[in-house]
Amino acid sequence: MYYHIVTYGCQMNVHESEKIAGILKEKGYEREAPLEEADIIVFNTCCIRENAENHAFGNIGALKKLKREKKGLLIAVGGCMAQEAGKAELLRRKFPFIDLIFGTHNLAELGALIDRKRLQRRAVVSLSEERAETEDHIEPVRTSYPNAWVNITYGCNNFCSYCIVPYVRGRERSRRAEDVLREVRSLAEEGFREITLLGQNVNSYNSDGQGGMSFPELLDAVASVEGKFRVRFMTSHPKDFSEELARVMKKHGKICNLLHLPAQSGSNRILGLMNRRYTREKYLSEIAMLRSLIPDCPVTTDLIVGFPTETEEEFEETLSLVKEANFASAFTFVYSPRTGTKAAEMEGQIPEEVSKERIMRLVAQVNENTRALSSLFVGKTTEILCEDYDEKRGLYLGRNEAGRMGYFPCDRNCIGEFVTLRVERANGVSLYGTLEDS
Ligand code: 5AD
Ligand code: SF4
């Protein structure tokens, strides 16, 4: 018996799919296989923007024929979209062949739900408002060696006015620091070379008192674990970023000098409407503080264009922020109204053609920054953690601490090794060159 998992959305979902794979293995499914060979297909969905949802709907719909032809095939839909108000009913109506629907709080029950489905004809639906079980006992099937994802918080309390995450992932909960540290120690012993701490807002770790220490303390403790590995963390919220955290970043060579700090907009009026609880000035002062401790520390960000009522001038403030903050790269999004959020009810929704035009200009500005920063590496050496081999190009690849992807030839399998790349040319976020020691 084989499984196939289709993942949409963020790193949080990528790691949850690793946990789903762990549960399936425990249930006797041997390994991941192509869609057509699988005995169970799980869709781990995302609902943060409309296109992620449309994508999932399209892919689930395309399985109708396979489901009819293959006796015993189980189709399960889980994750954020399954949890969204009214979506489970819609999924069942549109795709009556779905066997199992499970929400964001029901992942740990997946094994039991599969058993239940085997005993009943009708679909099994499990959607809880709160997480009943922790996920700590699940042994994930890690798919991103040499990186390993480690959850530190689940859920979000911020209620940014455009965002559906707090509604589908519930209130913020912190994992106990001792559990996080135990996981990190064992990953380091297993030979993982990069640990990425995950949370919707890592800076507010322990806001519920369950963690036992603050985020800077946790990061300090994680980076003090013995072994040769890098530490990354995401996502930081600018309202909670602190000098204490920047000092911990500076203190440890293991912590990558790179900060992902979503700005969302460069306009104070829009930031207010977004309920972000910081100003452009505060945002820029945090970056300045960080760079006073770690000179030129690369900062990446998330930006949204076309938020309701955004004017041309306000959009231009986002454009100018890209330059002023000197972002190393950015994820750029067209605002997507999400049912149930405050912003979806606001007057002054921006026409699609306006948003499209804005995002093109924004992407051009971000690309300019990306190119300028990448070109700084040319002629220098940079440490790369080799992640993979690109068969088409015949090159190994991996990231440096600033997140730039380096490509290089190597006559041995160096996946999982730290290597020194002499950069000969750059293209976008990619760097090309040869290894110093080969
Ligand atoms: N529309 C567009 N982008 C969104 N994001 C979150 N919600 C929306 C939305 N409704 C973006 C934010 C966030 C990233 C993960 O997704 O930029 O930081
Ligand atoms: Fe959404 Fe804001 Fe929470 Fe991020 S911090 S998940 S954007 S509500």
Side-chain angles (χ1 to χ4, degrees), residues 156-160 162-166 200-201 237 264 276:
C156 182
N157 287 348
N158 288 319
F159 289 94
C160 299
Y162 51 81
C163 187
I164 199 164
V165 168
Q200 309 291 349
N201 175 10
H237 194 304
Q264 313 297 3
R276 290 292 287 177

Side-chain angles (χ1 to χ4, degrees), residues 310-336:
E310 183 189 66
T311 64
E312 169 62 24
E313 291 70 34
E314 286 163 340
F315 163 68
E316 283 171 13
E317 290 186 74
T318 301
L319 268 185
S320 69
L321 183 74
V322 174
K323 274 196 184 170
E324 219 173 306
N326 198 13
F327 292 126
S329 64
F331 295 107
T332 52
F333 306 107
V334 169
Y335 164 72
S336 169

